[in-house]
PDB file of all heavy atoms in Angstrom:
ATOM      1  N   THR A  88       5.318  41.618 -48.296  1.00 91.00           N
ATOM      2  CA  THR A  88       4.838  42.509 -49.359  1.00 91.00           C
ATOM      3  C   THR A  88       3.690  41.894 -50.159  1.00 91.00           C
ATOM      4  O   THR A  88       3.181  42.525 -51.087  1.00 91.00           O
ATOM      5  CB  THR A  88       5.983  42.834 -50.333  1.00 91.00           C
ATOM      6  OG1 THR A  88       6.477  41.607 -50.885  1.00 91.00           O
ATOM      7  CG2 THR A  88       7.112  43.570 -49.636  1.00 91.00           C
ATOM      8  N   GLY A  89       3.322  40.670 -49.817  1.00 93.00           N
ATOM      9  CA  GLY A  89       2.212  40.027 -50.517  1.00 93.00           C
ATOM     10  C   GLY A  89       2.615  39.269 -51.762  1.00 93.00           C
ATOM     11  O   GLY A  89       1.775  38.995 -52.626  1.00 93.00           O
ATOM     12  N   PHE A  90       3.881  38.899 -51.880  1.00 93.00           N
ATOM     13  CA  PHE A  90       4.352  38.150 -53.047  1.00 93.00           C
ATOM     14  C   PHE A  90       3.479  36.925 -53.298  1.00 93.00           C
ATOM     15  O   PHE A  90       3.024  36.682 -54.426  1.00 93.00           O
ATOM     16  CB  PHE A  90       5.818  37.745 -52.838  1.00 93.00           C
ATOM     17  CG  PHE A  90       6.403  36.924 -53.953  1.00 93.00           C
ATOM     18  CD1 PHE A  90       6.970  37.538 -55.056  1.00 93.00           C
ATOM     19  CD2 PHE A  90       6.406  35.536 -53.893  1.00 93.00           C
ATOM     20  CE1 PHE A  90       7.524  36.784 -56.085  1.00 93.00           C
ATOM     21  CE2 PHE A  90       6.958  34.777 -54.921  1.00 93.00           C
ATOM     22  CZ  PHE A  90       7.515  35.399 -56.016  1.00 93.00           C
ATOM     23  N   LEU A  91       3.221  36.135 -52.258  1.00 95.00           N
ATOM     24  CA  LEU A  91       2.383  34.942 -52.412  1.00 95.00           C
ATOM     25  C   LEU A  91       0.900  35.289 -52.322  1.00 95.00           C
ATOM     26  O   LEU A  91       0.078  34.706 -53.047  1.00 95.00           O
ATOM     27  CB  LEU A  91       2.736  33.899 -51.361  1.00 95.00           C
ATOM     28  CG  LEU A  91       1.957  32.587 -51.459  1.00 95.00           C
ATOM     29  CD1 LEU A  91       2.246  31.884 -52.782  1.00 95.00           C
ATOM     30  CD2 LEU A  91       2.272  31.670 -50.294  1.00 95.00           C
ATOM     31  N   SER A  92       0.539  36.220 -51.483  1.00 97.00           N
ATOM     32  CA  SER A  92      -0.872  36.612 -51.332  1.00 97.00           C
ATOM     33  C   SER A  92      -1.485  36.981 -52.669  1.00 97.00           C
ATOM     34  O   SER A  92      -2.609  36.569 -52.999  1.00 97.00           O
ATOM     35  CB  SER A  92      -1.003  37.808 -50.376  1.00 97.00           C
ATOM     36  OG  SER A  92      -0.593  37.489 -49.080  1.00 97.00           O
ATOM     37  N   ARG A  93      -0.755  37.769 -53.458  1.00 96.00           N
ATOM     38  CA  ARG A  93      -1.273  38.224 -54.743  1.00 96.00           C
ATOM     39  C   ARG A  93      -1.456  37.056 -55.713  1.00 96.00           C
ATOM     40  O   ARG A  93      -2.451  37.017 -56.452  1.00 96.00           O
ATOM     41  CB  ARG A  93      -0.351  39.293 -55.340  1.00 96.00           C
ATOM     42  CG  ARG A  93      -0.184  40.513 -54.437  1.00 96.00           C
ATOM     43  CD  ARG A  93       0.451  41.689 -55.130  1.00 96.00           C
ATOM     44  NE  ARG A  93       1.707  41.417 -55.788  1.00 96.00           N
ATOM     45  CZ  ARG A  93       2.903  41.494 -55.197  1.00 96.00           C
ATOM     46  NH1 ARG A  93       2.986  41.797 -53.893  1.00 96.00           N
ATOM     47  NH2 ARG A  93       4.011  41.278 -55.878  1.00 96.00           N
ATOM     48  N   ARG A  94      -0.552  36.122 -55.701  1.00 96.00           N
ATOM     49  CA  ARG A  94      -0.662  34.961 -56.579  1.00 96.00           C
ATOM     50  C   ARG A  94      -1.799  34.039 -56.150  1.00 96.00           C
ATOM     51  O   ARG A  94      -2.523  33.469 -56.977  1.00 96.00           O
ATOM     52  CB  ARG A  94       0.677  34.221 -56.621  1.00 96.00           C
ATOM     53  CG  ARG A  94       1.726  34.965 -57.433  1.00 96.00           C
ATOM     54  CD  ARG A  94       3.167  34.611 -57.063  1.00 96.00           C
ATOM     55  NE  ARG A  94       4.116  35.285 -57.967  1.00 96.00           N
ATOM     56  CZ  ARG A  94       4.481  36.547 -57.836  1.00 96.00           C
ATOM     57  NH1 ARG A  94       3.962  37.310 -56.864  1.00 96.00           N
ATOM     58  NH2 ARG A  94       5.352  37.074 -58.692  1.00 96.00           N
ATOM     59  N   MET A  95      -1.971  33.877 -54.845  1.00 98.00           N
ATOM     60  CA  MET A  95      -3.072  33.044 -54.360  1.00 98.00           C
ATOM     61  C   MET A  95      -4.419  33.708 -54.620  1.00 98.00           C
ATOM     62  O   MET A  95      -5.417  33.026 -54.887  1.00 98.00           O
ATOM     63  CB  MET A  95      -2.902  32.756 -52.860  1.00 98.00           C
ATOM     64  CG  MET A  95      -1.701  31.891 -52.533  1.00 98.00           C
ATOM     65  SD  MET A  95      -1.747  31.184 -50.846  1.00 98.00           S
ATOM     66  CE  MET A  95      -1.838  32.681 -49.842  1.00 98.00           C
ATOM     67  N   ALA A  96      -4.442  35.037 -54.556  1.00 98.00           N
ATOM     68  CA  ALA A  96      -5.690  35.772 -54.778  1.00 98.00           C
ATOM     69  C   ALA A  96      -6.247  35.503 -56.165  1.00 98.00           C
ATOM     70  O   ALA A  96      -7.467  35.383 -56.347  1.00 98.00           O
ATOM     71  CB  ALA A  96      -5.470  37.262 -54.567  1.00 98.00           C
ATOM     72  N   ARG A  97      -5.365  35.408 -57.144  1.00 97.00           N
ATOM     73  CA  ARG A  97      -5.815  35.108 -58.506  1.00 97.00           C
ATOM     74  C   ARG A  97      -6.414  33.699 -58.587  1.00 97.00           C
ATOM     75  O   ARG A  97      -7.374  33.461 -59.322  1.00 97.00           O
ATOM     76  CB  ARG A  97      -4.643  35.242 -59.480  1.00 97.00           C
ATOM     77  CG  ARG A  97      -4.095  36.667 -59.604  1.00 97.00           C
ATOM     78  CD  ARG A  97      -3.017  36.745 -60.676  1.00 97.00           C
ATOM     79  NE  ARG A  97      -2.456  38.099 -60.752  1.00 97.00           N
ATOM     80  CZ  ARG A  97      -1.348  38.472 -60.133  1.00 97.00           C
ATOM     81  NH1 ARG A  97      -0.666  37.613 -59.401  1.00 97.00           N
ATOM     82  NH2 ARG A  97      -0.909  39.719 -60.262  1.00 97.00           N
ATOM     83  N   ALA A  98      -5.841  32.769 -57.827  1.00 97.00           N
ATOM     84  CA  ALA A  98      -6.287  31.377 -57.882  1.00 97.00           C
ATOM     85  C   ALA A  98      -7.657  31.169 -57.250  1.00 97.00           C
ATOM     86  O   ALA A  98      -8.392  30.263 -57.643  1.00 97.00           O
ATOM     87  CB  ALA A  98      -5.265  30.472 -57.201  1.00 97.00           C
ATOM     88  N   VAL A  99      -8.031  32.006 -56.261  1.00 98.00           N
ATOM     89  CA  VAL A  99      -9.315  31.816 -55.576  1.00 98.00           C
ATOM     90  C   VAL A  99     -10.371  32.819 -56.038  1.00 98.00           C
ATOM     91  O   VAL A  99     -11.513  32.795 -55.567  1.00 98.00           O
ATOM     92  CB  VAL A  99      -9.153  31.886 -54.040  1.00 98.00           C
ATOM     93  CG1 VAL A  99      -8.216  30.804 -53.555  1.00 98.00           C
ATOM     94  CG2 VAL A  99      -8.675  33.269 -53.582  1.00 98.00           C
TER      95      VAL A  99
END
Side-chain angles (χ1 to χ4, degrees):
T88 59
F90 178 87
L91 182 63
S92 296
R93 301 193 307 272
R94 286 157 175 80
M95 293 195 302
R97 295 185 182 96
V99 300

